[in-house]
Amino acid sequence: MPSTRFLGSLSTPRVDITIDTGNLFFNQALEGFLKIGSVAATRSIAEDSFKAINGGKLSKHCLERSLKKMCKEGAYWGNVAGVYVGMEYGVGRIRGTWDWKNAMIGGALTGALVSAATNNNKDQIVSDALTGGAVATASVLLNYLT
């Protein structure tokens, strides 16, 4: 059975995480989950902190609600990212090439899957699949510019 390792490094403004589960597919999906999940949780806590400071109210109930929201947002967006990274990797393995088309197909599949999981109608699922594919493709193409 392969051993699991966790390595991390921090250099401004980038955080690199290396996870070795013994399977490249699981490594990438877990890395996507952790990175995007932590970003979503951080955004949630920053948003709630801003609301608490502007409202002038800080109570135990407010902190509990913020913590629950932080965990919920982090888990949701982490799962979406993990599914997307896994889909993109799987499409790349099936196609045998690594290009922007993998992102487009992976984004479309992820958009459709997430939309279907939230019990949307067929038109909304198609719309979310197109949006997921477009956003993922734009992201990859923007990375080519830098």
Side-chain angles (χ1 to χ4, degrees):
M1 179 166 209
S3 64
T4 301
R5 291 181 283 150
F6 181 84
L7 302 170
S9 66
L10 177 63
S11 62
T12 307
R14 185 182 173 128
V15 176
D16 287 325
I17 299 172
T18 304
I19 300 167
D20 185 11
T21 61
N23 183 322
L24 189 57
F25 172 78
F26 291 130
N27 291 351
Q28 291 190 350
L30 186 58
E31 182 178 345
F33 173 85
L34 290 173
K35 284 184 176 181
I36 301 303
S38 61
V39 169
T42 303
R43 185 201 62 84
S44 176
I45 200 69
E47 185 179 271
D48 286 347
S49 298
F50 178 77
K51 287 179 183 176
I53 290 169
N54 271 353
K57 298 178 185 176
L58 189 61
S59 65
K60 182 179 177 183
H61 175 70
C62 180
L63 290 173
E64 288 174 355
R65 189 169 19 99
S66 294
L67 182 61
K68 286 179 184 178
K69 182 181 173 194
M70 181 181 74
C71 293
K72 182 180 175 183
E73 291 286 319
Y76 176 79
W77 289 108
N79 282 323
V80 170
V83 169
Y84 167 72
V85 170
M87 291 284 191
E88 184 182 15
Y89 177 78
V91 169
R93 290 285 301 228
I94 291 168
R95 291 183 63 234
T97 76
W98 302 98
D99 59 7
W100 63 271
K101 294 173 190 171
N102 297 343
M104 179 184 66
I105 296 167
L109 290 172
T110 302
L113 184 64
V114 170
S115 185
T118 56
N119 297 322
N120 286 328
N121 62 25
K122 287 187 278 186
D123 293 336
Q124 185 64 42
I125 292 171
V126 171
S127 175
D128 291 344
L130 292 173
T131 302
V135 169
T137 304
S139 173
V140 170
L141 294 177
L142 286 173
N143 283 334
Y144 287 147
L145 296 177
T146 59

